[in-house]
Amino acid sequence: MITVSNISKQYESVKALTNISFSINDNEIFGLIGPDGAGKTTFMRLLTTMLLPDNGLIEANGFNTVSDYKKVRNIIGYMPGRFSLYQDLTVEENLNFFASVFNTTIEQNYDLIANIYKQIEPFKNRVAGKLSGGMKQKLALSCALIHKPEILVLDEPTTGVDAVSRMEFWQMLKRLKMKGITIIVSTPYMDEASLCDRVALIQNGQILKIDTPENIIKSYPKYLIAVNAKNKYKLIHDLRKYKNSSSVFAFGSSVHVTFKNNNTDIDELKNFLISEGNVEIDINIAQPDIEDCFMELMKAEKNE
């Protein structure tokens, strides 16, 4: 188990994390979900002993990340957001190097990485710098796992990777969980939250909510509609003028809207939009997802 107690971290005048506390259970996929600058990478670096906290305590499987940092490094596999392997070494040379750092070999732990490494093994003599984005991702994950860590820490591992590689990566994580590994993954992609057992929604260095994706969505308090029209930019502008609008934001091809009295007259809204010159208007009741919940929590935090 990982326990985080009253952790804060500040860079000069910027508060990266402010007094956050939570726990991560053994053998779960725990997602840290939030936009760029929310504090995700700072937390990952604190957990992996790369940074020291200003105050507070993190324990990973009973080891203090400050006083027991050497033991923590032995039980954690870390894949940073940027590809940080040796670009001029081959695939096999990188993997051998990281195995040697932990006094092990590829052969000893091949069973753990076999499903991942087999996909790039045909290119084992290619230098890492010449790999595609998806192949770099698989190599970095193999290197993070080569010493059989108890905890796997992944900082935005799917950023900049195509949709197919993203899905393949999450399938790999599910298989690793079945081997008893606790996985902490950060991502700015709200749709990836549903692939986690539990998620922490984070913004401006503070935790907004922690729960299962299903429970977070169930707790969404507002009546939500999706609106479409020919001119989306004009639609957003006009919806924000509507007297009963509470929140208005773009969501894919549509616009999601909530209301001050948590309800509204759809016909009245449609007539208002027509009077403002909107055409091809389509209004439907929408089911919220994690992104809607995140936006609502951010708004509630600002209003406090």
Side-chain angles (χ1 to χ4, degrees), residues 113-127:
I113 66 166
N115 288 330
I116 306 163
Y117 187 62
K118 280 177 182 175
Q119 299 176 52
I120 57 173
E121 198 165 18
F123 309 97
K124 65 181 181 180
N125 294 319
R126 181 178 296 183
V127 293

Side-chain angles (χ1 to χ4, degrees), residues 237-253:
H237 180 265
D238 291 340
L239 283 168
R240 287 175 176 161
K241 290 196 303 182
Y242 183 60
K243 62 182 180 180
N244 197 25
S245 292
S246 176
S247 68
V248 177
F249 64 92
F251 190 92
S253 61

Side-chain angles (χ1 to χ4, degrees), residues 36-136:
D36 292 342
K40 303 186 301 296
T41 295
T42 294
F43 172 74
M44 296 301 204
R45 289 176 177 172
L46 289 167
L47 174 59
T48 54
T49 77
M50 296 175 65
L51 286 177
L52 295 174
D54 295 335
N55 61 266
L57 172 71
I58 302 176
E59 289 187 327
N61 290 2
F63 298 121
N64 185 309
T65 56
V66 177
S67 59
D68 301 319
Y69 71 93
K70 289 184 179 179
K71 293 177 180 176
V72 171
R73 290 176 182 177
N74 280 325
I75 65 168
I76 282 183
Y78 177 48
M79 182 174 162
R82 292 181 60 187
F83 183 70
S84 57
L85 304 184
Y86 292 98
Q87 304 266 5
D88 55 345
L89 294 183
T90 66
V91 167
E92 190 172 43
E93 288 169 341
N94 266 291
L95 199 54
N96 274 317
F97 171 77
F98 280 91
S100 68
V101 168
F102 290 97
N103 295 315
T104 187
T105 63
I106 297 175
E107 292 73 26
Q108 278 181 287
N109 298 325
Y110 188 76
D111 61 310
L112 183 60
I113 66 166
N115 288 330
I116 306 163
Y117 187 62
K118 280 177 182 175
Q119 299 176 52
I120 57 173
E121 198 165 18
F123 309 97
K124 65 181 181 180
N125 294 319
R126 181 178 296 183
V127 293
K130 298 292 185 180
L131 297 173
S132 68
M135 291 168 69
K136 284 180 177 178

Side-chain angles (χ1 to χ4, degrees), residues 227-276:
V227 186
N228 288 279
K230 186 173 183 179
N231 187 330
K232 187 175 178 180
Y233 177 79
K234 176 175 174 53
L235 175 65
I236 292 172
H237 180 265
D238 291 340
L239 283 168
R240 287 175 176 161
K241 290 196 303 182
Y242 183 60
K243 62 182 180 180
N244 197 25
S245 292
S246 176
S247 68
V248 177
F249 64 92
F251 190 92
S253 61
S254 63
V255 179
H256 278 193
V257 187
T258 63
F259 304 95
K260 293 173 184 175
N261 61 2
N262 209 21
N263 205 339
T264 199
D265 185 317
I266 298 295
D267 289 334
E268 181 185 287
L269 174 62
K270 188 169 186 177
N271 288 334
F272 168 79
L273 293 174
I274 291 171
S275 71
E276 294 293 324

Side-chain angles (χ1 to χ4, degrees), residues 180-199:
I181 297 175
T182 302
I183 300 170
I184 302 96
V185 55
S186 70
T187 178
Y189 300 128
M190 297 291 168
D191 61 310
E192 293 187 343
S194 63
L195 303 172
C196 302
D197 297 316
R198 288 193 306 141
V199 297

